[in-house]
């Protein structure tokens, strides 16, 4: 008899059975070996598959060289984990529409004291700053950061965690071997070295929009707490928050300005009872008491950058929300060319950056 892992890989990689039905079949038959050996009559009697699904399943199985397929996968350098294996993440076992298994690259953490950080892809400079600072401090306190490696808040959450020396896990909406967005190639490599990239989707699966809402249930399930930083009124982040509520997770939100489109989703969650993060220190203290964690007061060392009085004045008028050049002209009463010269100097010192034409935010 073949090793059980061969049958597990065969069942995990099977595309004739939907993700949702795999766990039901496993519950009915007990293991993937029994599923592999089941004949048409037995499969029909389970009432879990339609006749057409059974025919497609049996035809594909008859042509499948499961030993060769298993050996080929082993040579890819990727790994997989299924419900049949000892140590499978407990947080995924009783999940609604549960996950039979997933592929991964890297080293899986134990998922204890895990915090998901999600938010807008097109986030503001303020959202970036909060995501990086919050995830860095959480990492320093020993929390694992879970996110989706998307552009924006997800990317900065992973980056902040890595900067804090922590473990982070990216749950993809594509195959585990498909890096999306492509510009996150280096981030992907760093995550693999300091955590893991995981996906329930088959290897090579493209990042189509329909995959991401389903992916979000795993992000929230693996976490104890879900933090939302900047979210529009209708967004994937709110889907994650809704799933987290169904799973009994705690939800915290970084509040935003009234009328700001990036704040609509967050402020709506607050109105529905989500916790508010009004201070990184107080938030860490609150969850630290709950999980028996000692707060590490490691605040980033600030490198003093020299500014002349005019530079300091202009810098003081810019924050983490974009400020237009015309507004700065009105507030500073400066000559147009003199203000542009000062802005250029602040940009060279990497104190501010232009996020859109003639709109500036603090960079540090």
């Amino acid at each position: 008899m073949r090793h059980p892992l061969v049958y597990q890989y065969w069942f995990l990689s099977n595309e004739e059975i939907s993700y949702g039905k795999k766990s039901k079949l496993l519950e009915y038959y007990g293991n993937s070996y029994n599923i592999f050996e089941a004949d048409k009559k037995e499969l029909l009697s389970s009432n879990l598959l339609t006749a057409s699904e059974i025919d497609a399943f049996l035809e594909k199985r008859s042509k499948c060289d499961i030993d060769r397929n298993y050996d080929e996968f082993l040579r890819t350098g990727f790994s997989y984990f299924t419900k049949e294996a000892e140590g499978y993440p407990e947080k995924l076992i009783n999940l609604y529409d549960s996950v039979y298994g997933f592929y991964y690259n890297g080293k899986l953490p134990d998922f204890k004291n895990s915090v998901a950080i999600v938010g807008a892809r097109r986030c503001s400079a303020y959202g970036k700053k909060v995501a990086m600072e919050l995830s860095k401090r959480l990492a320093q306190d020993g929390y694992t950061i879970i996110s989706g490696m998307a552009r924006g808040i997800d990317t900065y959450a992973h980056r902040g965690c890595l900067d804090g020396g922590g473990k982070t896990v990216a749950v993809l909406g594509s195959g585990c071997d498909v890096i999306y967005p492509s510009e996150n190639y280096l981030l992907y490599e760093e995550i693999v070295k300091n955590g893991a990239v995981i996906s329930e989707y088959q290897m090579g699966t493209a990042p189509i929009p329909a995959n991401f809402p389903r992916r979000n249930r795993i992000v929230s399930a693996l976490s104890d707490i879900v933090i939302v930083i900047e979210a529009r009124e209708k967004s994937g982040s709110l889907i994650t928050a809704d799933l987290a509520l169904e799973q009994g997770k705690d939800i915290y939100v970084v509040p935003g300005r009234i009328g700001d489109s990036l704040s609509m989703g967050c402020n709506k969650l607050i109105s529905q009872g989500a916790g508010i993060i009004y201070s990184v220190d107080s938030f860490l203290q609150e969850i630290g008491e709950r999980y028996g964690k000692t707060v590490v007061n490691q605040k980033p060392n600030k490198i003093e950058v020299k500014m002349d009085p005019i530079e300091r004045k202009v810098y003081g008028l810019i924050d983490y929300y974009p400020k237009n050049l015309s507004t700065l002209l009105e507030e500073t009463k400066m000559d147009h060319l003199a203000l542009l010269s000062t802005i250029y100097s602040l940009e060279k010192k990497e104190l501010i950056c232009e996020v859109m034409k003639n709109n500036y935010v603090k960079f540090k």
Side-chain angles (χ1 to χ4, degrees):
M1 182 177 174
R2 299 181 180 95
H3 194 284
L5 288 175
V6 178
Y7 293 102
Q8 290 176 37
Y9 175 71
W10 160 78
F11 192 46
L12 177 65
S13 61
N14 186 283
E15 298 182 80
E16 279 62 53
I17 300 174
S18 68
Y19 294 104
K21 289 184 178 181
K22 284 184 178 179
S23 288
K24 293 177 181 178
L25 280 167
L26 179 67
E27 184 177 349
Y28 184 86
Y29 283 100
N31 58 54
S32 51
Y33 169 76
N34 291 336
I35 298 170
F36 183 82
E37 293 293 328
D39 59 25
K40 184 171 184 177
K41 182 179 179 181
E42 290 171 333
L43 290 167
L44 282 169
S45 67
S46 72
N47 292 318
L48 294 173
L49 301 175
T50 65
S52 60
E53 286 175 329
I54 292 172
D55 288 340
F57 170 75
L58 292 174
E59 182 182 1
K60 182 69 178 288
R61 189 180 70 182
S62 67
K63 299 176 181 178
C64 179
D65 187 336
I66 66 172
D67 297 302
R68 187 188 68 184
N69 291 346
Y70 178 69
D71 289 340
E72 287 178 351
F73 176 78
L74 291 182
R75 288 195 289 271
T76 66
F78 289 84
S79 304
Y80 67 94
F81 214 160
T82 77
K83 279 184 174 180
E84 298 180 67
E86 186 177 351
Y88 187 75
E90 188 176 343
K91 291 178 178 178
L92 295 180
I93 291 177
N94 297 318
L95 177 66
Y96 173 76
D97 191 13
S98 62
V99 185
Y100 166 70
F102 57 85
Y103 302 93
Y104 70 95
N105 192 4
K107 185 177 180 181
L108 295 171
D110 59 16
F111 294 108
K112 292 180 181 177
N113 301 324
S114 296
V115 177
I117 298 180
V118 298
R121 284 174 169 80
R122 295 183 178 180
C123 64
S124 70
Y126 171 73
K128 171 185 175 180
K129 176 181 181 293
V130 173
M132 290 193 69
E133 180 182 351
L134 193 52
S135 59
K136 182 175 182 178
R137 295 286 303 281
L138 283 163
Q140 290 170 341
D141 282 0
Y143 295 92
T144 297
I145 302 300
I146 314 290
S147 199
M149 212 180 80
R151 292 185 181 95
I153 296 300
D154 287 20
T155 290
Y156 299 127
H158 291 304
R159 173 57 56 201
C161 178
L162 293 168
D163 289 348
K167 302 292 184 184
T168 186
V169 174
V171 185
L172 303 188
S174 61
C176 204
D177 56 338
V178 178
I179 299 174
Y180 179 80
S182 57
E183 65 263 26
N184 274 350
Y185 174 80
L186 292 178
L187 178 62
Y188 178 101
E189 295 297 322
E190 288 188 63
I191 292 172
V192 168
K193 291 177 183 176
N194 298 277
V197 173
I198 75 174
S199 176
E200 72 171 322
Y201 295 111
Q202 301 299 334
M203 304 291 282
T205 299
I208 61 174
N211 290 351
F212 293 93
R214 181 176 177 82
R215 177 276 305 270
N216 292 344
R217 84 195 196 287
I218 300 177
V219 173
S220 56
L222 290 174
S223 309
D224 301 300
I225 296 170
V226 173
I227 297 173
V228 183
I229 303 174
E230 295 190 330
R232 300 182 188 276
E233 192 167 11
K234 294 181 180 179
S235 66
S237 300
L238 294 193
I239 293 174
T240 306
D242 288 340
L243 291 166
L245 281 173
E246 292 175 6
Q247 295 163 3
K249 311 291 183 176
D250 291 325
I251 299 175
Y252 284 83
V253 170
V254 175
R257 299 187 299 186
I258 294 175
D260 190 323
S261 61
L262 286 173
S263 303
M264 295 293 286
C266 291
N267 292 343
K268 182 178 180 181
L269 287 172
I270 291 172
S271 72
Q272 295 172 344
I276 303 173
I277 300 177
Y278 58 87
S279 159
V280 173
D281 288 328
S282 61
F283 170 69
L284 290 172
Q285 189 67 44
E286 180 180 338
I287 66 171
E289 291 172 358
R290 186 181 313 167
Y291 295 106
K293 290 277 188 182
T294 301
V295 177
V296 179
N297 293 311
Q298 293 186 24
K299 295 186 178 180
N301 296 323
K302 291 187 177 180
I303 301 173
E304 189 66 31
V305 179
K306 291 183 179 179
M307 289 183 278
D308 63 34
I310 299 299
E311 289 173 340
R312 196 170 296 280
K313 175 184 177 181
V314 174
Y315 180 73
L317 292 170
I318 298 173
D319 59 23
Y320 295 101
Y321 287 95
K323 180 162 285 191
N324 190 270
L325 179 62
S326 60
T327 304
L328 286 169
L329 281 168
E330 183 179 340
E331 291 177 345
T332 61
K333 310 300 182 186
M334 291 174 65
D335 173 76
H336 187 270
L337 290 177
L339 178 58
L340 285 177
S341 176
T342 303
I343 286 173
Y344 177 69
S345 177
L346 291 171
E347 285 182 304
K348 282 189 67 177
K349 293 177 179 180
E350 296 186 344
L351 292 168
I352 67 172
C353 64
E354 186 178 29
V355 290
M356 61 187 82
K357 183 68 173 176
N358 293 329
N359 283 266
Y360 303 92
V361 297
K362 279 184 178 178
F363 193 71
K364 59 177 72 170

